[in-house]
């Protein structure tokens, strides 16, 4: 029952069922892709968090290494009476800086002096130089009593030489970091600054300061600062080398007064993408690292394969379902056709049984009447033969029309065929195109045969110059009138006894046609007037045509 109902759906909804199957599989595919993408996002978020944590650890490691070197320098320089260039260079060389110090511009020394000590420091700066050097900005440009000029900076490169003589205490961000380092006696990073070595206004960095004191306890005084300047881009690049996946996009911010100031952004940063933010404690300074995933918004390979495979399966099922619906429709049409054929066969059997009975009744009537009217065996045989041949001719005509309706002209033409080609008499048949039912056509054929036989023996067709005129017309849409008129033949006298032909026409034909027959024996020629119904094709004829039409479809 369920299987039949499913097949019924395929027949009733030939387009909706395949589309529903396609949409269902497509929906499952989309949900699968969504689940895969969600899992990918979760995994990506976890990987990005892990990468961000690793990056923060690498940054703090770099900062810790630099702070350790600066602490060592502070301990050494605090024990020296004066920090000379030889002492500073020896200290830097003894550090044997390795890869842990990558990302820094170097290590420098900046003494804390007053304006009265400025000439001595400028003389020390100019020692070994081609021309005199001044601390900048000069006191004329910016009067101040506290100065922290850069005296030494290693390695001694052309880039680092540009920083020598710059008074870092004259700039607010650097000054705040040095004051904080003096207060805490800890390595302290500055906020975002433009390094003196950098010429571009968009290049930023930071500086880690370590204060150096003379004396100890309450008697100590600030001697200067050992420091390391860092270019933010180079520092971040060196830190990225310490992790396994350095390809992520990065942004590094300095947080000043609660407001983030971006120091560096990698080239592969984009405006969209999943990001993870981490706080960084870099030498007693709060900074923020933002890590962005490089994965774009496109589908992952697994999602893309799932989507393509799902759509391919959905399309295949759509085609298969469409083929099944077409097959189900064809099967349904075939079943309907077989049911119609079975109904047609039953109707044909009933119609054939009815017509065979009618034909046999006509034959029995013909035999009975012929036997009563025949005086000899030869006359009986000849009468039977001619009348059955006439009946057979009309049957052939009906068979050719598949037992549908038959034109009156065709029935008359068949029955008068033996007489129409003779040159010594004339046969004329005129009338509109009128179709008769099979039984009515048989009865009319018998009547025309008897009239023609009588005319050939005794009437207009028995002599030269005789004329037979047959005309028909529609009295109304459901009734036709047929008139037989003989002329130019022998003089006709009423028969002294009733023959078989008269009985056949006035009894059998009138009974079958369901209308009385007017038969007149006029001296100028026999006249006969018949009325026959014009009926619509019967049930058998309708079903026969219908079946043919269905087969044609």
């Amino acid at each position: 029952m369920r299987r039949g109902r499913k097949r019924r759906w395929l027949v009733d909804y030939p387009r909706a069922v395949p589309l529903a199957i396609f949409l269902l599989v497509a929906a499952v595919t989309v949900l699968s892709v969504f689940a895969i993408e969600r899992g990918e996002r979760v995994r990506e978020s976890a990987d990005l968090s892990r990468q961000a944590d690793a990056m923060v650890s690498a940054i703090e490691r770099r900062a810790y290494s630099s702070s350790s070197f600066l602490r060592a320098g502070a301990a050494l320089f605090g024990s020296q009476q004066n920090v000379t260039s030889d002492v500073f260079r020896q200290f830097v060389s003894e550090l044997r800086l390795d890869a842990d110090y990558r990302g820094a511009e170097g290590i420098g020394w900046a003494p804390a002096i007053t304006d009265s000590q400025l000439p001595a420091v400028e003389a020390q700066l100019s020692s070994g130089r081609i021309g005199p050097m001044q601390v900048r900005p000069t006191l004329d440009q910016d009067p101040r009593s506290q100065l922290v000029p850069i005296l030494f900076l290693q390695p001694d490169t052309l880039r680092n030489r540009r920083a020598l003589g710059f008074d870092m205490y004259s700039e607010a961000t650097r000054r705040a970091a040095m004051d904080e380092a003096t207060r805490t006696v800890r390595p302290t990073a500055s906020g975002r600054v433009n390094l003196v070595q950098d010429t571009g206004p968009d290049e930023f960095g930071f500086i880690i300061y370590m204060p150096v004191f003379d004396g100890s306890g309450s008697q100590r005084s600030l001697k200067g600062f050992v420091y390391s300047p860092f270019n933010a881009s180079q520092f971040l690049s060196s830190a990225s080398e310490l992790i396994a996946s350095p390809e992520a996009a990065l942004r590094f911010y300095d947080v000043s007064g609660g407001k983030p100031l971006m120091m560096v952004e990698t080239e592969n940063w984009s405006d969209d993408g999943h990001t993870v933010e981490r706080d960084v404690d870099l030498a007693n300074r709060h900074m923020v690292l933002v890590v962005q995933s490089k994965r774009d918004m496109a589908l992952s390979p697994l999602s893309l394969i799932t989507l393509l495979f799902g759509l391919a399966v959905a399309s295949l099922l759509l085609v298969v379902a469409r083929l099944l619906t077409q097959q189900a429709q064809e099967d349904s049409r075939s079943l309907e056709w077989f049911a119609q054929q079975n109904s047609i066969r039953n109707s044909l059997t009933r119609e054939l049984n009815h017509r065979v009975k009618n034909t046999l009744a006509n034959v029995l009537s013909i035999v009975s009447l012929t036997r009563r009217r025949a005086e000899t065996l030869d006359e009986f045989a000849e009468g039977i033969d001619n009348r059955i041949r006439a009946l057979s001719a009309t049957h052939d005509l009906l068979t050719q029309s598949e037992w549908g309706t038959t034109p009156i002209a065709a029935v008359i033409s068949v029955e008068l065929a033996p007489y129409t080609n003779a040159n010594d008499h004339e046969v004329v048949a005129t009338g509109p195109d009128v179709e008769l039912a099979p039984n009515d056509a048989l009865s009319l054929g018998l009547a025309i045969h008897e009239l023609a036989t009588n005319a050939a023996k005794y009437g207009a067709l028995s002599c030269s110059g005789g004329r037979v005129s047959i005309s028909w017309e529609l009295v109304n849409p459901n009734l036709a009138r047929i008139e037989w008129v003989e002329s130019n033949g022998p003089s006709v006298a009423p028969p002294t006894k009733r023959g078989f032909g008269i009985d056949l026409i006035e009894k059998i034909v009138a009974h079958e046609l369901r209308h009385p027959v007017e038969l007149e024996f006029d001296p100028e020629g026999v006249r006969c007037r018949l009325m026959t119904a014009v009926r619509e094709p019967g049930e058998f004829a309708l079903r026969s045509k219908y079946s043919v039409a269905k087969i044609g479809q």
Side-chain angles (χ1 to χ4, degrees):
M1 182 66 69
R2 292 181 180 178
R3 183 177 180 184
R5 187 179 298 113
K6 292 178 181 178
R7 290 183 64 86
R8 192 71 250 173
W9 290 350
L10 294 177
V11 175
D12 294 340
Y13 309 103
R15 297 184 182 275
V17 171
L19 182 60
I21 294 175
F22 176 83
L23 292 178
L24 178 62
V25 178
V28 172
T29 301
V30 171
L31 290 176
S32 301
V33 171
F34 176 78
I36 293 173
E37 285 298 299
R38 185 175 181 181
E40 288 289 330
R41 299 301 180 193
V42 172
R43 184 183 63 81
E44 175 191 357
S45 179
D47 291 343
L48 200 60
S49 297
R50 176 185 56 77
Q51 190 172 350
D53 293 338
M55 191 66 189
V56 169
S57 176
I59 291 173
E60 292 179 346
R61 176 181 172 184
R62 290 292 192 202
Y64 180 78
S65 298
S66 299
S67 298
S68 298
F69 292 134
L70 295 180
R71 287 179 185 274
L76 174 63
F77 298 152
S79 63
Q80 299 292 321
Q81 183 68 28
N82 292 311
V83 180
T84 64
S85 61
D86 292 337
V87 171
F88 183 77
R89 280 195 296 269
Q90 184 178 3
F91 163 71
V92 174
S93 63
E94 288 296 331
L95 286 178
R96 302 182 185 279
L97 300 177
D98 56 15
D100 285 340
Y101 208 68
R102 293 182 61 185
E105 297 288 335
I107 297 179
W109 165 252
I113 62 174
T114 61
D115 55 353
S116 61
Q117 298 172 299
L118 183 59
V121 172
E122 289 181 340
Q124 193 174 3
L125 277 171
S126 302
S127 177
R129 308 293 179 184
I130 297 177
M133 295 185 64
Q134 289 183 321
V135 174
R136 59 186 191 280
T138 63
L139 294 178
D140 295 337
Q141 297 171 332
D142 183 14
R144 56 198 181 279
S145 59
Q146 177 73 33
L147 296 90
V148 184
I150 299 174
L151 187 59
F152 306 123
L153 184 58
Q154 292 290 329
D156 187 16
T157 62
L158 182 62
R159 174 183 171 82
N160 283 339
R161 287 177 185 178
R162 289 200 295 266
L164 296 178
F166 175 70
D167 179 14
M168 295 185 289
Y169 208 72
S170 63
E171 195 271 319
T173 303
R174 291 175 172 85
R175 182 168 59 249
M178 286 186 283
D179 291 344
E180 180 66 17
T182 302
R183 186 183 67 82
T184 60
V185 195
R186 293 173 55 189
T188 303
S190 70
R192 185 182 75 172
V193 296
N194 289 108
L195 298 180
V196 182
Q197 297 94 318
D198 296 329
T199 57
D202 296 331
E203 292 187 70
F204 300 104
F206 61 93
I207 303 172
I208 299 180
Y209 294 100
M210 181 64 196
V212 178
F213 296 96
D214 271 337
S216 61
S218 61
Q219 302 298 322
R220 70 180 184 180
S221 61
L222 182 63
K223 188 174 185 179
F225 295 90
V226 59
Y227 75 97
S228 286
F230 293 86
N231 179 281
S233 178
Q234 295 177 7
F235 177 76
L236 205 61
S237 177
S238 66
S240 299
E241 295 174 358
L242 298 179
I243 62 177
S245 302
E247 71 278 0
L250 304 173
R251 272 183 175 176
F252 197 45
Y253 293 88
D254 168 48
V255 181
S256 178
K259 179 181 180 181
L261 300 174
M262 188 174 67
M263 289 196 293
V264 65
E265 174 186 284
T266 56
E267 294 180 355
N268 56 351
W269 184 273
S270 61
D271 293 333
D272 53 0
H274 184 58
T275 60
V276 171
E277 185 177 304
R278 290 289 186 273
D279 293 330
V280 180
D281 183 11
L282 197 154
N284 203 29
R285 180 79 181 184
H286 179 209
M287 296 188 179
V288 174
L289 176 70
V290 180
V291 182
Q292 182 186 62
S293 173
K294 286 189 66 179
R295 184 174 181 266
D296 54 20
M297 299 305 293
L299 295 177
S300 64
L302 180 59
S303 297
L304 187 60
I305 292 174
T306 302
L307 180 61
L308 294 177
F309 180 75
L311 291 179
V313 171
S315 300
L316 180 61
L317 290 178
L318 175 65
V319 173
V320 172
R322 184 58 181 157
L323 293 176
L324 289 176
T325 56
Q326 291 177 349
Q327 184 62 44
Q329 286 181 312
E330 292 178 2
D331 292 345
S332 178
R333 286 194 293 266
S334 298
L335 291 175
E336 291 178 1
W337 185 83
F338 284 127
Q340 292 162 3
Q341 292 302 306
N342 185 56
S343 176
I344 292 169
R345 184 176 61 252
N346 293 336
S347 298
L348 176 60
T349 301
R350 291 193 299 269
E351 184 69 17
L352 182 61
N353 183 52
H354 173 68
R355 290 176 180 174
V356 167
K357 286 182 178 180
N358 287 345
T359 302
L360 290 176
N362 289 335
V363 170
L364 289 175
S365 298
I366 292 170
V367 170
S368 177
L369 292 174
T370 304
R371 179 177 59 81
R372 289 202 298 264
R373 299 296 189 272
E375 296 180 354
T376 65
L377 182 61
D378 291 337
E379 184 181 354
F380 171 76
E382 183 180 358
I384 286 294
D385 180 70
N386 291 335
R387 292 180 176 102
I388 291 180
R389 286 181 185 275
L391 192 63
S392 176
T394 307
H395 267 270
D396 289 341
L397 184 63
L398 293 176
T399 302
Q400 292 173 9
S401 65
E402 297 181 352
W403 284 85
T405 57
T406 304
I408 292 178
V411 176
I412 293 174
S413 176
V414 167
E415 297 299 337
L416 296 181
Y419 312 104
T420 55
N421 295 325
N423 296 326
D424 57 348
H425 53 258
E426 182 182 4
V427 177
V428 179
T430 59
D433 186 11
V434 179
E435 302 279 339
L436 297 180
N439 288 339
D440 297 336
L442 282 172
S443 299
L444 177 62
L446 284 174
I448 298 299
H449 171 75
E450 291 301 326
L451 291 170
T453 300
N454 183 72
K457 287 182 178 181
Y458 312 108
L461 298 180
S462 66
C463 64
S464 178
R467 185 176 190 272
V468 174
S469 175
I470 306 173
S471 61
W472 63 92
E473 61 181 354
L474 284 172
V475 178
N476 58 55
N478 299 319
L479 186 64
R481 180 169 54 210
I482 305 163
E483 189 170 2
W484 170 286
V485 178
E486 298 181 23
S487 60
N488 300 333
S491 179
V492 176
T496 57
K497 64 175 181 177
R498 295 181 64 84
F500 169 75
I502 296 175
D503 288 340
L504 178 67
I505 293 174
E506 292 184 345
K507 293 182 179 180
I508 297 177
V509 173
H511 173 74
E512 291 295 331
L513 296 180
R514 293 181 292 279
H515 287 88
V517 177
E518 299 178 9
L519 183 61
E520 300 177 3
F521 293 92
D522 192 281
E524 295 181 359
V526 176
R527 292 176 177 270
C528 181
R529 186 177 294 108
L530 304 91
M531 305 291 285
T532 180
V534 180
R535 295 181 289 174
E536 294 294 329
E539 180 183 0
F540 170 71
L542 284 173
R543 295 202 177 191
S544 179
K545 292 182 180 179
Y546 179 74
S547 64
V548 172
K550 293 297 287 184
I551 295 173
Q553 292 178 1

